[in-house]
């Protein structure tokens, strides 16, 4: 710029500032992206042991032990052990072991089952944690690791079985009784087709223990923005403060065949 108008610099002007002029494209560059340098900087806080492992831009504080594992970008605090495993973009605090497992949910603990040797995430089991609070009788969705709007992602063309252990603890409120609780097990299954449409099959709920009010729960479709997902929805009571937490065990079978 001349201070008012934008101008296209010629080679003389470009090089006078110590920049690099490209004659073929007629462009002036202050810095040329260096893939190897970028990868080296990204891996400064990562520990990688084994061959053919890869981390993408933005991977931090990650440990990989094995072969042919992949960590997608902008993820942190993850662990992979085994071969052919993967951690999806933006997933934090996850752990994957076994063969061809894939972490697609925050804080997920995954055991890969081989996935028919066609790609990560087709056959696996995993465990995740959800939680949230209620102070009234409004139906409330639990979040994965209590991170707002984070739900249980469901892969397209998949069957996802689940066992969910749900605990409710009353901690106060004008109508609450400190120490009252409920603990139950809910089992069911989800079918997700090629378009991302979800159907939820809830099999049964088993009450294991309770003192006082039970509260209600269900598994609901929380799909949004083209991403299929589910979560646990809970309902407490008016003027009762409740803490809710759920441990979900997932049994996953996906395919690359559209149905």
């Amino acid at each position: 710029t001349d201070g008012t108008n934008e101008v296209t610099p010629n080679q003389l002007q470009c090089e006078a500032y110590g920049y690099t002029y490209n004659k073929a494209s007629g462009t002036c560059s202050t810095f040329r992206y260096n893939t190897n340098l970028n990868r080296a900087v990204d891996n400064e806080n990562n520990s990688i042991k084994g061959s053919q492992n890869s981390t993408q831009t933005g991977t931090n504080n990650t440990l990989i032990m094995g072969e042919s594992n992949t960590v997608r970008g902008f993820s942190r605090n993850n662990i992979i052990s085994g071969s052919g495993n993967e951690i999806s973009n933006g997933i934090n605090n996850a752990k994957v072991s076994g063969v061809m497992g894939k972490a697609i949910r925050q804080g997920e603990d995954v055991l890969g089952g081989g996935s028919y040797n066609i790609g990560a995430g087709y056959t696996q089991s995993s465990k995740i944690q959800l939680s949230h609070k209620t102070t009234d009788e409004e139906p409330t969705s639990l979040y994965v690791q209590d991170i707002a709007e984070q739900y249980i992602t469901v892969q397209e063309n998949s069957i996802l079985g689940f066992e969910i252990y749900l605990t409710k603890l009353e901690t106060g409120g004008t109508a609450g009784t400190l120490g009252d609780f409920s603990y139950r097990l809910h089992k069911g299954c989800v079918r997700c087709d090629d378009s991302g449409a979800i159907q939820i099959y809830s099999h049964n709920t088993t009450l294991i223990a309770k003192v006082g009010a039970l509260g209600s729960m269900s598994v609901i479709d929380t799909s949004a923005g083209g991403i299929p997902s589910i979560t646990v929805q809970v309902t407490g009571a008016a003027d009762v403060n409740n803490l809710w937490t759920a441990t979900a065990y997932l049994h996953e079978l996906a395919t690359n065949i559209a149905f």
Side-chain angles (χ1 to χ4, degrees), residues 168-184:
K168 176 185 77 74
L169 175 64
E170 291 186 22
T171 59
T174 56
T177 302
L178 183 62
D180 279 5
F181 77 98
S182 64
Y183 180 59
R184 73 196 93 172

Side-chain angles (χ1 to χ4, degrees), residues 190-253:
V190 177
R191 179 186 186 273
C192 184
D193 66 17
D194 187 53
S195 68
I198 282 178
Q199 186 159 3
I200 300 171
Y201 302 85
S202 287
H203 177 60
N204 63 38
T205 303
T206 302
L207 176 63
I208 299 173
K210 85 175 182 73
V211 173
L214 177 63
S216 64
M217 65 86 66
S218 62
V219 175
I220 63 169
D221 186 342
T222 50
S223 302
I227 301 176
S229 67
I230 61 169
T231 196
V232 179
Q233 184 182 77
V234 298
T235 305
D239 302 315
V240 177
N241 297 338
N242 283 308
L243 300 178
W244 301 84
T245 184
T247 301
Y249 294 88
L250 308 178
H251 313 104
E252 199 161 4
L253 170 59

Side-chain angles (χ1 to χ4, degrees), residues 89-150:
N89 187 80
I91 296 299
N92 303 323
N93 309 309
K95 181 174 69 176
V96 186
S97 60
V99 179
M100 289 191 171
K102 184 177 182 180
I104 63 174
R105 304 149 189 125
Q106 299 294 342
E108 187 172 23
D109 188 351
V110 181
L111 175 61
S115 294
Y116 311 111
N117 203 34
I118 58 175
Y122 289 100
T123 60
Q124 61 184 33
S125 61
S126 65
K127 179 175 67 173
I128 61 171
Q129 194 77 18
L130 306 96
S131 58
H132 207 28
K133 302 175 183 178
T134 60
T135 57
D136 53 33
E137 69 276 30
E138 288 296 316
T140 301
S141 294
L142 301 190
Y143 298 142
V144 173
Q145 294 197 322
D146 203 18
I147 303 172
E149 310 305 322
Q150 288 291 323

Side-chain angles (χ1 to χ4, degrees), residues 16-37:
Y17 283 91
Y19 301 149
T20 301
Y21 188 77
N22 187 319
K23 293 181 180 180
S25 62
T27 58
C28 181
S29 301
T30 60
F31 175 75
R32 289 187 177 182
Y33 183 83
N34 184 307
T35 301
N36 292 330
L37 175 61

